[in-house]
Amino acid sequence: MHAPVELAKSYRLLNHGPTVLVSAAHGGQRNIMAAAWSMPLDFNPPKVAVVLDKSTVTRQLVEGSGTFALNVPTRAQAEATLAVGGISASELPPGQDKFAAFGLSAFAAERIDAPLLEGCAAWLECRLLPEPHLQHQYDLFLGEVIAAWADPRLFADGHWLDAAAGSTVHYIAGGRFFATGEAFDAKATPRRS
Amino acid sequence: MHAPVELAKSYRLLNHGPTVLVSAAHGGQRNIMAAAWSMPLDFNPPKVAVVLDKSTVTRQLVEGSGTFALNVPTRAQAEATLAVGGISASELPPGQDKFAAFGLSAFAAERIDAPLLEGCAAWLECRLLPEPHLQHQYDLFLGEVIAAWADPRLFADGHWLDAAAGSTVHYIAGGRFFATGEAFDAKATPRRS
């Protein structure tokens, strides 16, 4: 289930630092991988940054197509996140991709070719901002968000709903995650004197 | 309370995407600001990326000193996080800094001049990796982690302890945070065929 998210509010889909899945497609091939290292980079036009190791097939598809999607998985997808993060598409039998290998369903993005993983909390469709030095030197990829979607049961009217507590995940290491915990409001500390 | 963290494990202090406080000092001035947009960039040597807006005094101190610290605040520091994120040092009376204004205590870093905020869950001391194009075009600052510390009641032997659940925070917007929730282990989905 996905509803459009206003681009100026799309940074909020990543602002709390969830682990994401990066998907891309190019030349008849599609792939998806886990990335703990992503963040918003700007509000409007919204931009994102994500680290893609040189060994990954997804990186080749991002460089080939000039586009990628960030999918924000739910806690129910933690096992799938670990699965697509734990194997390279290059290790699969010819003709099989990770979607088929792990029984994952995808739907079409609106503005780009990357497949979007069904059942996620949110999705950001991105156009690569080519920065060859950054990509080569730091494995760092920048993108402009050109369409965004969220599960309206979790995020609506530009805000995460109360139901979002516990719904996304934050990778630690070794197959272990933190769930996103409860939301709370802080008041600013008054200034002294 | 702070104990050293092995540099090769220091990425784990940020891997789950907590909101951080960026501190820096230069020319007799010190400052601290909140940053929701930071992430690890490499394992070993460990690197980080953080977004620092052009309007911030902290950015001037980072550019002047070539160093900065990332402080990982606890939930008990959410109000202080909001406070130091909600005002610029340039708005304070002459001679006052945010530490004095909000009653915050700092201790000395080991390798850099930046003050470290007392009571945090973790601290990363960083040397700026100068990338003028990135800094100017995207407000994006890269650093190499040259020393790291954590509260040993929360993070020890390279791992977040069970007590860390609920201990750090993830900024949403408008004074609202998600707490870091419970930790759980996922098993990888078995591959089909």
Side-chain angles (χ1 to χ4, degrees):
Chain A
M1 194 180 299
H2 64 290
V5 171
E6 185 190 345
L7 283 181
K9 299 286 171 59
S10 66
Y11 77 93
R12 294 186 181 174
L13 302 172
L14 297 181
N15 209 68
H16 65 298
T19 294
V20 301
L21 302 172
V22 186
S23 58
H26 184 61
Q29 192 179 4
R30 63 182 184 167
N31 200 31
I32 186 164
M33 62 173 272
W37 299 354
S38 78
M39 65 179 182
L41 184 63
D42 209 345
F43 292 105
N44 203 6
K47 299 188 185 80
V48 297
V50 62
V51 178
L52 302 176
D53 191 72
K54 288 181 180 65
S55 67
T56 66
V57 171
T58 299
R59 175 175 171 150
Q60 299 168 20
L61 302 179
V62 170
E63 292 182 323
S65 66
T67 58
F68 61 91
L70 300 184
N71 307 253
V72 182
T74 65
R75 180 165 177 174
Q77 293 172 313
E79 297 193 1
T81 300
L82 206 57
V84 302
I87 191 172
S88 169
S90 62
E91 302 169 64
L92 295 173
Q96 198 183 48
D97 65 19
K98 289 190 195 173
F99 294 90
F102 298 112
L104 303 174
S105 298
F107 63 99
E110 185 180 84
R111 302 280 308 273
I112 64 177
D113 290 334
L116 303 184
L117 179 65
E118 280 191 2
C120 284
W123 303 262
L124 299 100
E125 301 184 21
C126 304
R127 180 177 64 80
L128 180 65
L129 299 169
E131 290 285 352
H133 165 67
L134 263 194
Q135 294 165 209
H136 177 75
Q137 183 76 17
Y138 300 107
D139 298 334
L140 183 56
F141 288 72
L142 309 184
E144 180 181 340
V145 182
I146 55 175
W149 312 91
D151 182 331
R153 297 167 298 187
L154 300 175
F155 186 97
D157 295 328
H159 295 280
W160 288 103
L161 305 178
D162 288 344
S167 71
T168 60
V169 295
H170 308 262
Y171 192 58
I172 303 173
R176 198 163 175 80
F177 295 82
F178 285 118
T180 303
E182 60 171 345
F184 66 95
D185 291 298
K187 284 180 188 161
T189 310
R191 212 160 95 197
R192 290 191 175 177
S193 78
Chain B
M1 194 180 297
H2 65 290
V5 171
E6 185 190 345
L7 283 180
K9 299 286 172 59
S10 66
Y11 77 94
R12 293 185 182 174
L13 302 173
L14 296 181
N15 209 67
H16 65 298
T19 294
V20 301
L21 302 173
V22 186
S23 58
H26 184 61
Q29 192 179 4
R30 62 182 185 167
N31 200 31
I32 186 163
M33 62 174 271
W37 300 353
S38 79
M39 66 178 181
L41 184 63
D42 209 346
F43 292 105
N44 203 7
K47 299 187 185 81
V48 298
V50 61
V51 178
L52 302 176
D53 192 71
K54 289 181 180 64
S55 67
T56 66
V57 171
T58 299
R59 175 176 171 147
Q60 299 169 20
L61 303 180
V62 171
E63 292 181 325
S65 66
T67 58
F68 61 92
L70 301 184
N71 308 253
V72 182
T74 64
R75 179 165 177 173
Q77 293 172 312
E79 296 192 3
T81 300
L82 206 58
V84 302
I87 191 171
S88 170
S90 62
E91 300 169 63
L92 294 173
Q96 198 181 49
D97 66 19
K98 290 189 196 173
F99 294 90
F102 298 113
L104 303 174
S105 298
F107 63 99
E110 184 180 83
R111 302 281 308 274
I112 64 176
D113 291 333
L116 304 184
L117 179 64
E118 280 191 1
C120 285
W123 304 262
L124 299 101
E125 301 183 22
C126 304
R127 179 177 65 80
L128 180 65
L129 299 168
E131 290 285 352
H133 166 66
L134 264 193
Q135 294 164 207
H136 177 75
Q137 183 76 17
Y138 300 107
D139 298 334
L140 184 55
F141 289 72
L142 310 185
E144 180 181 339
V145 182
I146 55 176
W149 311 90
D151 182 330
R153 296 167 298 186
L154 300 176
F155 186 98
D157 295 329
H159 295 279
W160 287 104
L161 305 178
D162 288 343
S167 70
T168 61
V169 296
H170 308 262
Y171 192 58
I172 303 171
R176 199 162 174 79
F177 294 82
F178 284 118
T180 303
E182 61 170 345
F184 67 95
D185 292 298
K187 284 180 186 159
T189 311
R191 213 160 95 200
R192 289 191 175 176
S193 77

